[in-house]
Amino acid sequence: MESALGHTTVTEKGHHRPETYDLVDLDNVPRRRYFFGAEGRALTTNVAIAGSIGFLLFGYDQGVLGGLNAADEFLSTFGYPSSALLGTINAIYEIGCFCGAISVFLIGEKLGRKKCIYTGAVLQFIGAALQAASYGVPQMIVGRIVCGWGNGFNTATTPLWVSELIHAKARGRAVAIEGNLIAFGIVIAYYYNIGMSYTTGPAQWRAPIASQGAIIIAQVAWTYFLPESPRWLTKHGRHEEAIDILAQLRGKGVQPSEPAVIAQKKSIDGALALEEADGPWKFTEIFKNGPLKIRRRFLLAIGLQAMQQLSGINVLVYYAPHTLVFDVGLDQETSLQVGAGLADTYWVFSFITVFFLDQMGRRKPLIWERHHFGPGQGLTAFLFRLRSHLCMRLAAYPLAVPTRDHAFAPSHSFGSSGHGE
Protein backbone atom coordinates (compact mmCIF):
# COMPACT_ATOMS: atom_id res chain seq x y z
CA MET A 1 0.00 0.00 0.00
CA GLU A 2 1.40 3.40 -0.94
CA SER A 3 0.15 6.85 -0.03
CA ALA A 4 1.56 9.67 -2.09
CA LEU A 5 0.24 13.05 -3.06
CA GLY A 6 -0.41 13.04 -6.74
CA HIS A 7 -1.18 9.33 -6.86
CA THR A 8 -4.01 7.03 -5.92
CA THR A 9 -3.78 4.98 -2.75
CA VAL A 10 -4.69 1.34 -3.28
CA THR A 11 -5.99 -0.33 -0.14
CA GLU A 12 -5.53 -4.00 0.68
CA LYS A 13 -9.02 -4.71 -0.70
CA GLY A 14 -8.24 -3.03 -4.00
CA HIS A 15 -10.24 0.14 -3.36
CA HIS A 16 -8.82 3.32 -4.82
CA ARG A 17 -8.62 6.37 -2.60
CA PRO A 18 -7.76 9.57 -4.50
CA GLU A 19 -4.98 11.68 -3.07
CA THR A 20 -4.78 15.45 -2.76
CA TYR A 21 -3.10 16.12 -6.12
CA ASP A 22 -5.99 14.40 -7.85
CA LEU A 23 -8.50 16.72 -6.19
CA VAL A 24 -6.73 20.01 -5.39
CA ASP A 25 -4.77 22.58 -7.37
CA LEU A 26 -2.16 23.35 -4.72
CA ASP A 27 -1.20 26.65 -6.33
CA ASN A 28 -4.77 27.95 -6.11
CA VAL A 29 -6.02 26.69 -2.76
CA PRO A 30 -8.56 29.12 -1.25
CA ARG A 31 -7.03 30.70 1.86
CA ARG A 32 -8.91 31.53 5.03
CA ARG A 33 -7.88 33.61 8.03
CA TYR A 34 -8.07 32.06 11.48
CA PHE A 35 -7.93 33.92 14.76
CA PHE A 36 -7.41 37.33 13.17
CA GLY A 37 -4.63 36.19 10.87
CA ALA A 38 -2.59 34.15 13.35
CA GLU A 39 -0.30 31.55 11.77
CA GLY A 40 2.35 29.10 12.92
CA ARG A 41 3.10 29.16 16.63
CA ALA A 42 0.54 31.93 17.29
CA LEU A 43 -2.21 29.79 15.78
CA THR A 44 -1.24 26.59 17.60
CA THR A 45 -0.92 28.53 20.87
CA ASN A 46 -4.49 29.77 20.52
CA VAL A 47 -5.66 26.23 19.76
CA ALA A 48 -4.03 25.11 23.01
CA ILE A 49 -5.64 28.01 24.89
CA ALA A 50 -9.10 27.14 23.56
CA GLY A 51 -8.61 23.52 24.64
CA SER A 52 -7.35 24.62 28.03
CA ILE A 53 -10.42 26.80 28.63
CA GLY A 54 -12.54 23.69 28.15
CA PHE A 55 -10.59 21.88 30.85
CA LEU A 56 -10.67 24.92 33.13
CA LEU A 57 -14.45 24.63 32.87
CA PHE A 58 -14.23 20.91 33.65
CA GLY A 59 -12.25 21.59 36.82
CA TYR A 60 -14.48 24.45 37.90
CA ASP A 61 -17.59 22.33 37.42
CA GLN A 62 -16.04 19.56 39.52
CA GLY A 63 -15.00 21.86 42.33
CA VAL A 64 -17.95 24.21 42.61
CA LEU A 65 -20.43 21.75 44.10
CA GLY A 66 -17.78 20.31 46.40
CA GLY A 67 -17.54 23.66 48.17
CA LEU A 68 -21.34 23.94 48.43
CA ASN A 69 -22.07 20.51 49.87
CA ALA A 70 -21.52 21.82 53.40
CA ALA A 71 -23.22 25.23 52.93
CA ASP A 72 -26.35 25.59 55.05
CA GLU A 73 -28.02 27.88 52.49
CA PHE A 74 -27.55 25.23 49.78
CA LEU A 75 -28.67 22.33 51.96
CA SER A 76 -31.75 24.13 53.29
CA THR A 77 -32.95 24.89 49.74
CA PHE A 78 -33.13 21.15 49.08
CA GLY A 79 -34.59 20.16 52.45
CA TYR A 80 -31.31 19.03 54.03
CA PRO A 81 -30.92 15.91 51.86
CA SER A 82 -29.61 12.69 53.35
CA SER A 83 -26.07 11.59 52.61
CA ALA A 84 -27.41 9.11 50.05
CA LEU A 85 -29.45 11.75 48.23
CA LEU A 86 -26.61 14.30 48.35
CA GLY A 87 -24.33 11.63 46.94
CA THR A 88 -26.80 11.05 44.12
CA ILE A 89 -26.94 14.78 43.31
CA ASN A 90 -23.15 14.81 43.03
CA ALA A 91 -22.64 11.48 41.29
CA ILE A 92 -25.40 11.87 38.70
CA TYR A 93 -23.16 14.41 36.97
CA GLU A 94 -20.76 11.59 36.11
CA ILE A 95 -23.65 9.63 34.56
CA GLY A 96 -24.25 12.63 32.33
CA CYS A 97 -20.55 12.71 31.43
CA PHE A 98 -20.74 9.05 30.45
CA CYS A 99 -23.75 9.75 28.21
CA GLY A 100 -21.90 12.64 26.58
CA ALA A 101 -18.84 10.52 25.85
CA ILE A 102 -21.02 7.78 24.36
CA SER A 103 -22.81 10.40 22.25
CA VAL A 104 -19.47 11.52 20.82
CA PHE A 105 -18.64 7.90 20.08
CA LEU A 106 -21.90 7.50 18.15
CA ILE A 107 -22.21 10.83 16.30
CA GLY A 108 -18.94 12.67 16.83
CA GLU A 109 -17.41 11.66 13.51
CA LYS A 110 -20.42 13.00 11.64
CA LEU A 111 -20.54 16.31 13.50
CA GLY A 112 -16.83 17.12 13.44
CA ARG A 113 -14.62 18.29 16.29
CA LYS A 114 -15.78 21.90 16.57
CA LYS A 115 -19.50 21.10 16.34
CA CYS A 116 -19.07 18.56 19.14
CA ILE A 117 -17.47 21.25 21.29
CA TYR A 118 -20.31 23.66 20.49
CA THR A 119 -22.90 21.00 21.30
CA GLY A 120 -21.24 20.30 24.63
CA ALA A 121 -21.07 24.01 25.44
CA VAL A 122 -24.79 24.50 24.77
CA LEU A 123 -25.69 21.52 26.95
CA GLN A 124 -23.41 22.71 29.75
CA PHE A 125 -24.90 26.20 29.60
CA ILE A 126 -28.44 24.80 29.84
CA GLY A 127 -27.38 22.50 32.68
CA ALA A 128 -25.75 25.33 34.61
CA ALA A 129 -28.86 27.49 34.21
CA LEU A 130 -31.11 24.67 35.45
CA GLN A 131 -28.91 24.13 38.49
CA ALA A 132 -28.59 27.81 39.36
CA ALA A 133 -32.39 28.23 39.18
CA SER A 134 -33.21 25.06 41.14
CA TYR A 135 -35.66 25.05 44.04
CA GLY A 136 -35.99 21.30 44.31
CA VAL A 137 -33.94 18.13 44.05
CA PRO A 138 -35.51 16.87 40.76
CA GLN A 139 -34.58 20.06 38.89
CA MET A 140 -31.06 20.00 40.34
CA ILE A 141 -30.61 16.39 39.27
CA VAL A 142 -31.81 17.16 35.73
CA GLY A 143 -29.45 20.12 35.59
CA ARG A 144 -26.55 17.96 36.77
CA ILE A 145 -27.27 15.33 34.12
CA VAL A 146 -27.54 17.88 31.29
CA CYS A 147 -24.39 19.67 32.42
CA GLY A 148 -22.51 16.39 32.66
CA TRP A 149 -23.79 15.38 29.22
CA GLY A 150 -22.27 18.54 27.80
CA ASN A 151 -19.03 17.98 29.68
CA GLY A 152 -18.84 14.49 28.18
CA PHE A 153 -18.96 16.04 24.71
CA ASN A 154 -16.29 18.52 25.72
CA THR A 155 -13.77 16.21 27.36
CA ALA A 156 -14.17 13.45 24.74
CA THR A 157 -13.56 15.86 21.86
CA THR A 158 -11.23 18.63 22.99
CA PRO A 159 -8.04 16.54 23.49
CA LEU A 160 -8.54 14.94 20.08
CA TRP A 161 -9.12 18.30 18.36
CA VAL A 162 -6.05 19.83 20.00
CA SER A 163 -3.80 16.84 19.22
CA GLU A 164 -4.85 16.94 15.54
CA LEU A 165 -3.95 20.61 15.21
CA ILE A 166 -0.69 21.05 17.10
CA HIS A 167 2.70 19.56 16.30
CA ALA A 168 3.54 16.17 17.81
CA LYS A 169 6.53 17.52 19.73
CA ALA A 170 4.28 20.00 21.56
CA ARG A 171 1.47 17.62 22.47
CA GLY A 172 2.90 16.47 25.78
CA ARG A 173 3.14 19.97 27.20
CA ALA A 174 -0.25 20.98 25.72
CA VAL A 175 -1.96 18.04 27.40
CA ALA A 176 -0.13 18.71 30.67
CA ILE A 177 -1.35 22.31 30.59
CA GLU A 178 -4.89 21.05 30.12
CA GLY A 179 -4.48 18.84 33.21
CA ASN A 180 -3.00 21.78 35.09
CA LEU A 181 -6.03 23.90 34.25
CA ILE A 182 -8.41 21.22 35.49
CA ALA A 183 -6.70 21.69 38.85
CA PHE A 184 -6.77 25.47 38.51
CA GLY A 185 -10.49 25.34 37.79
CA ILE A 186 -10.99 23.51 41.09
CA VAL A 187 -8.88 26.16 42.85
CA ILE A 188 -11.02 28.96 41.38
CA ALA A 189 -14.22 27.18 42.42
CA TYR A 190 -13.07 26.65 46.01
CA TYR A 191 -11.88 30.21 46.55
CA TYR A 192 -15.03 31.57 44.92
CA ASN A 193 -17.04 29.49 47.38
CA ILE A 194 -14.93 30.80 50.27
CA GLY A 195 -15.66 34.37 49.19
CA MET A 196 -19.38 33.71 48.75
CA SER A 197 -19.57 32.00 52.16
CA TYR A 198 -19.41 35.48 53.76
CA THR A 199 -22.65 36.46 52.02
CA THR A 200 -26.19 35.42 52.88
CA GLY A 201 -29.15 34.35 50.83
CA PRO A 202 -29.51 32.13 47.75
CA ALA A 203 -26.77 34.02 45.89
CA GLN A 204 -24.28 32.25 48.16
CA TRP A 205 -24.63 29.09 46.06
CA ARG A 206 -26.50 30.19 42.92
CA ALA A 207 -23.83 32.67 41.80
CA PRO A 208 -20.92 30.17 41.78
CA ILE A 209 -22.97 27.66 39.77
CA ALA A 210 -24.23 30.28 37.30
CA SER A 211 -20.71 31.64 36.79
CA GLN A 212 -19.87 28.60 34.70
CA GLY A 213 -21.64 30.41 31.90
CA ALA A 214 -18.81 32.94 31.59
CA ILE A 215 -16.24 30.19 31.01
CA ILE A 216 -18.54 28.44 28.51
CA ILE A 217 -18.98 31.64 26.50
CA ALA A 218 -15.20 32.22 26.51
CA GLN A 219 -14.55 28.69 25.24
CA VAL A 220 -17.08 28.96 22.40
CA ALA A 221 -15.86 32.42 21.38
CA TRP A 222 -12.21 31.28 21.29
CA THR A 223 -12.97 28.07 19.41
CA TYR A 224 -15.12 29.85 16.82
CA PHE A 225 -12.11 31.66 15.33
CA LEU A 226 -9.96 28.52 15.09
CA PRO A 227 -9.76 25.83 12.37
CA GLU A 228 -11.36 22.41 12.19
CA SER A 229 -9.16 19.31 12.39
CA PRO A 230 -7.28 18.70 9.09
CA ARG A 231 -7.58 14.98 9.68
CA TRP A 232 -11.37 15.16 9.99
CA LEU A 233 -11.61 17.42 6.93
CA THR A 234 -9.49 14.99 4.90
CA LYS A 235 -11.58 12.03 5.93
CA HIS A 236 -14.68 13.86 4.74
CA GLY A 237 -13.22 14.90 1.40
CA ARG A 238 -12.58 18.56 2.23
CA HIS A 239 -8.97 18.50 1.03
CA GLU A 240 -8.58 22.18 0.14
CA GLU A 241 -9.52 23.28 3.65
CA ALA A 242 -7.30 20.62 5.20
CA ILE A 243 -4.17 21.56 3.29
CA ASP A 244 -4.77 25.29 3.82
CA ILE A 245 -4.96 24.70 7.58
CA LEU A 246 -1.83 22.54 7.56
CA ALA A 247 0.05 25.31 5.77
CA GLN A 248 -1.07 27.95 8.27
CA LEU A 249 -0.21 25.72 11.21
CA ARG A 250 3.24 25.19 9.71
CA GLY A 251 4.26 28.84 9.91
CA LYS A 252 3.66 32.39 8.80
CA GLY A 253 3.52 32.74 5.03
CA VAL A 254 3.86 29.01 4.34
CA GLN A 255 2.16 27.98 1.08
CA PRO A 256 0.11 24.79 0.55
CA SER A 257 2.49 23.70 -2.21
CA GLU A 258 5.57 23.60 0.05
CA PRO A 259 7.14 20.12 0.53
CA ALA A 260 6.71 20.05 4.33
CA VAL A 261 2.97 20.70 4.00
CA ILE A 262 2.62 18.10 1.26
CA ALA A 263 4.49 15.55 3.39
CA GLN A 264 2.19 16.17 6.35
CA LYS A 265 -0.92 15.84 4.20
CA LYS A 266 0.53 12.68 2.68
CA SER A 267 1.00 11.26 6.18
CA ILE A 268 -2.66 11.93 7.03
CA ASP A 269 -3.79 10.35 3.75
CA GLY A 270 -1.68 7.28 4.47
CA ALA A 271 -3.00 6.90 8.01
CA LEU A 272 -6.59 7.16 6.85
CA ALA A 273 -5.94 4.69 4.02
CA LEU A 274 -4.50 2.23 6.53
CA GLU A 275 -7.56 2.61 8.76
CA GLU A 276 -9.86 1.99 5.80
CA ALA A 277 -7.85 -0.90 4.35
CA ASP A 278 -10.23 -3.55 5.71
CA GLY A 279 -13.43 -1.64 4.98
CA PRO A 280 -15.62 0.45 7.30
CA TRP A 281 -14.67 0.49 10.97
CA LYS A 282 -16.52 -1.99 13.17
CA PHE A 283 -17.00 -1.90 16.93
CA THR A 284 -15.54 -5.40 17.23
CA GLU A 285 -12.16 -4.05 16.06
CA ILE A 286 -11.43 -2.72 19.55
CA PHE A 287 -11.22 -6.33 20.73
CA LYS A 288 -8.67 -7.30 18.07
CA ASN A 289 -5.00 -6.46 18.15
CA GLY A 290 -3.84 -6.59 14.53
CA PRO A 291 -0.94 -4.50 13.20
CA LEU A 292 -2.26 -1.32 14.87
CA LYS A 293 -2.48 -2.95 18.34
CA ILE A 294 -5.95 -1.45 18.77
CA ARG A 295 -7.01 -3.71 21.65
CA ARG A 296 -3.86 -2.97 23.63
CA ARG A 297 -4.22 0.80 23.09
CA PHE A 298 -7.90 0.69 23.98
CA LEU A 299 -7.36 -1.27 27.19
CA LEU A 300 -4.48 0.97 28.26
CA ALA A 301 -6.46 4.17 27.69
CA ILE A 302 -9.65 2.91 29.36
CA GLY A 303 -7.77 1.19 32.18
CA LEU A 304 -5.74 4.26 33.08
CA GLN A 305 -8.80 6.49 33.17
CA ALA A 306 -10.77 3.98 35.23
CA MET A 307 -7.96 3.50 37.75
CA GLN A 308 -7.51 7.26 38.01
CA GLN A 309 -11.16 7.62 39.05
CA LEU A 310 -11.03 4.59 41.36
CA SER A 311 -8.08 6.23 43.15
CA GLY A 312 -10.65 8.46 44.86
CA ILE A 313 -9.75 11.86 43.43
CA ASN A 314 -13.35 12.86 42.74
CA VAL A 315 -14.40 11.73 46.20
CA LEU A 316 -11.86 14.16 47.65
CA VAL A 317 -12.87 17.01 45.37
CA TYR A 318 -16.61 16.57 45.95
CA TYR A 319 -16.84 15.55 49.57
CA ALA A 320 -13.83 16.93 51.49
CA PRO A 321 -15.71 19.96 52.96
CA HIS A 322 -18.87 17.94 53.69
CA THR A 323 -16.86 15.20 55.42
CA LEU A 324 -14.90 17.71 57.48
CA VAL A 325 -18.07 19.46 58.68
CA PHE A 326 -20.43 16.55 59.31
CA ASP A 327 -18.06 13.68 60.11
CA VAL A 328 -15.04 15.42 61.65
CA GLY A 329 -16.80 18.37 63.28
CA LEU A 330 -15.02 21.36 61.74
CA ASP A 331 -16.87 24.57 60.97
CA GLN A 332 -17.70 25.45 57.37
CA GLU A 333 -15.02 28.15 57.07
CA THR A 334 -12.23 25.80 58.16
CA SER A 335 -13.50 22.97 55.97
CA LEU A 336 -13.51 25.23 52.91
CA GLN A 337 -9.96 26.34 53.69
CA VAL A 338 -8.81 22.74 53.98
CA GLY A 339 -10.56 21.94 50.69
CA ALA A 340 -8.84 24.93 49.10
CA GLY A 341 -5.51 23.67 50.46
CA LEU A 342 -6.19 20.34 48.78
CA ALA A 343 -6.95 22.12 45.50
CA ASP A 344 -3.83 24.31 45.82
CA THR A 345 -1.57 21.30 46.32
CA TYR A 346 -3.22 19.45 43.46
CA TRP A 347 -2.59 22.45 41.20
CA VAL A 348 1.01 23.03 42.29
CA PHE A 349 2.06 19.42 41.73
CA SER A 350 0.48 19.41 38.28
CA PHE A 351 3.19 21.87 37.18
CA ILE A 352 5.64 18.97 37.23
CA THR A 353 4.05 17.58 34.10
CA VAL A 354 3.84 21.00 32.44
CA PHE A 355 7.61 21.48 32.55
CA PHE A 356 8.99 17.94 32.58
CA LEU A 357 6.49 15.53 30.99
CA ASP A 358 8.20 15.49 27.60
CA GLN A 359 11.58 14.80 29.25
CA MET A 360 10.23 12.14 31.64
CA GLY A 361 8.06 10.33 29.13
CA ARG A 362 4.62 8.92 29.96
CA ARG A 363 5.32 5.68 31.81
CA LYS A 364 7.81 6.76 34.48
CA PRO A 365 5.56 9.34 36.19
CA LEU A 366 2.77 6.79 36.39
CA ILE A 367 5.09 4.24 38.00
CA TRP A 368 6.61 6.76 40.41
CA GLU A 369 3.22 7.90 41.62
CA ARG A 370 2.28 4.38 42.73
CA HIS A 371 5.01 4.63 45.39
CA HIS A 372 3.49 7.85 46.79
CA PHE A 373 -0.17 6.99 46.54
CA GLY A 374 -0.51 4.36 49.27
CA PRO A 375 1.60 6.10 51.95
CA GLY A 376 -0.15 9.40 51.21
CA GLN A 377 -3.59 7.90 51.75
CA GLY A 378 -2.41 6.09 54.86
CA LEU A 379 -1.00 9.28 56.39
CA THR A 380 -4.21 11.10 55.61
CA ALA A 381 -6.28 8.46 57.39
CA PHE A 382 -3.97 8.66 60.42
CA LEU A 383 -4.21 12.45 60.65
CA PHE A 384 -7.99 12.39 60.33
CA ARG A 385 -8.08 9.85 63.13
CA LEU A 386 -6.33 12.28 65.49
CA ARG A 387 -9.21 14.75 64.93
CA SER A 388 -7.35 17.90 65.96
CA HIS A 389 -7.73 21.14 64.02
CA LEU A 390 -3.98 21.37 63.45
CA CYS A 391 -3.88 17.85 62.06
CA MET A 392 -6.89 18.57 59.88
CA ARG A 393 -5.00 21.45 58.28
CA LEU A 394 -1.93 19.26 57.81
CA ALA A 395 -4.11 16.57 56.30
CA ALA A 396 -4.81 18.68 53.25
CA TYR A 397 -1.30 18.06 51.99
CA PRO A 398 -1.06 14.25 52.09
CA LEU A 399 -4.62 14.22 50.78
CA ALA A 400 -3.35 15.96 47.69
CA VAL A 401 -0.47 13.56 47.07
CA PRO A 402 -2.61 11.04 45.16
CA THR A 403 -4.19 13.83 43.16
CA ARG A 404 -0.96 14.17 41.23
CA ASP A 405 -2.05 10.93 39.62
CA HIS A 406 -4.96 12.95 38.24
CA ALA A 407 -2.48 15.04 36.26
CA PHE A 408 -0.29 12.14 35.14
CA ALA A 409 -2.97 9.63 34.12
CA PRO A 410 -4.73 11.84 31.55
CA SER A 411 -1.32 12.94 30.25
CA HIS A 412 -0.36 9.31 29.71
CA SER A 413 -3.68 8.48 28.09
CA PHE A 414 -3.74 11.48 25.79
CA GLY A 415 -0.04 11.02 25.06
CA SER A 416 -0.76 7.47 23.94
CA SER A 417 -3.43 8.86 21.61
CA GLY A 418 -0.84 11.26 20.23
CA HIS A 419 1.56 8.40 19.52
CA GLY A 420 -1.30 6.62 17.80
CA GLU A 421 -1.59 9.43 15.31
Side-chain angles (χ1 to χ4, degrees), residues 52-368:
S52 297
I53 293 173
F55 280 90
L56 179 72
L57 174 63
F58 180 29
Y60 182 89
D61 205 27
Q62 278 192 312
V64 69
L65 206 63
L68 299 175
N69 280 331
D72 187 73
E73 191 70 45
F74 175 80
L75 296 174
S76 64
T77 301
F78 301 103
Y80 294 98
S82 65
S83 295
L85 182 55
L86 188 63
T88 299
I89 293 172
N90 283 273
I92 204 72
Y93 174 79
E94 307 298 338
I95 301 298
C97 291
F98 175 78
C99 293
I102 294 299
S103 298
V104 172
F105 176 76
L106 295 174
I107 64 173
E109 191 58 40
K110 294 179 181 179
L111 289 178
R113 314 298 187 237
K114 289 180 66 175
K115 286 183 180 178
C116 279
I117 293 173
Y118 296 153
T119 302
V122 170
L123 289 169
Q124 283 189 282
F125 196 91
I126 293 171
L130 287 171
Q131 291 176 77
S134 292
Y135 281 93
V137 172
Q139 183 177 343
M140 174 59 77
I141 287 178
V142 171
R144 294 287 290 168
I145 293 173
V146 174
C147 197
W149 189 17
N151 185 66
F153 267 91
N154 192 353
T155 54
T157 305
T158 301
L160 183 61
W161 177 64
V162 172
S163 68
E164 290 176 343
L165 282 167
I166 65 176
H167 302 301
K169 63 182 180 181
R171 287 175 191 159
R173 174 163 290 186
V175 170
I177 291 173
E178 290 171 356
N180 175 271
L181 285 175
I182 293 175
F184 188 53
I186 296 172
V187 170
I188 293 173
Y190 264 98
Y191 280 100
Y192 193 179
N193 282 328
I194 288 174
M196 293 303 294
S197 69
Y198 295 101
T199 66
T200 57
Q204 185 183 90
W205 66 270
R206 295 188 191 277
I209 291 177
S211 295
Q212 297 173 66
I215 307 176
I216 294 168
I217 292 170
Q219 181 196 17
V220 171
W222 217 288
T223 304
Y224 177 78
F225 295 103
L226 294 168
E228 180 57 273
S229 158
R231 182 187 177 92
W232 183 84
L233 291 169
T234 298
K235 188 170 184 177
H236 291 266
R238 295 162 62 177
H239 297 281
E240 288 186 339
E241 292 177 69
I243 202 162
D244 173 39
I245 292 167
L246 289 172
Q248 294 195 47
L249 292 170
R250 197 79 191 175
K252 192 172 181 63
V254 174
Q255 297 301 311
S257 58
E258 294 195 14
V261 178
I262 294 173
Q264 194 171 2
K265 183 63 167 63
K266 172 183 171 180
S267 175
I268 293 173
D269 288 336
L272 291 174
L274 182 62
E275 290 177 5
E276 298 169 3
D278 294 322
W281 184 85
K282 301 180 182 66
F283 179 74
T284 54
E285 288 184 25
I286 64 175
F287 303 109
K288 300 176 183 177
N289 248 352
L292 296 178
K293 305 293 183 184
I294 292 175
R295 181 177 61 195
R296 183 173 182 272
R297 294 167 186 262
F298 179 78
L299 292 176
L300 280 173
I302 297 298
L304 284 169
Q305 294 296 321
M307 287 185 283
Q308 172 230 326
Q309 291 299 312
L310 290 170
S311 70
I313 174 60
N314 278 348
V315 174
L316 297 178
V317 171
Y318 283 131
Y319 299 113
H322 185 272
T323 300
L324 292 172
V325 171
F326 293 99
D327 296 328
V328 178
L330 298 185
D331 57 76
Q332 184 190 358
E333 181 181 355
T334 303
S335 70
L336 286 174
Q337 290 171 353
V338 172
L342 164 63
D344 288 338
T345 311
Y346 173 19
W347 181 47
V348 168
F349 277 109
S350 70
F351 278 101
I352 295 174
T353 57
V354 172
F355 294 108
F356 302 110
L357 182 63
D358 287 328
Q359 290 85 350
M360 292 187 296
R362 308 299 192 260
R363 296 177 61 199
K364 287 183 180 179
L366 284 165
I367 295 170
W368 293 339

Side-chain angles (χ1 to χ4, degrees), residues 37-57:
E39 296 180 340
R41 179 174 291 183
L43 185 56
T44 56
T45 297
N46 279 288
V47 169
I49 290 172
S52 297
I53 293 173
F55 280 90
L56 179 72
L57 174 63

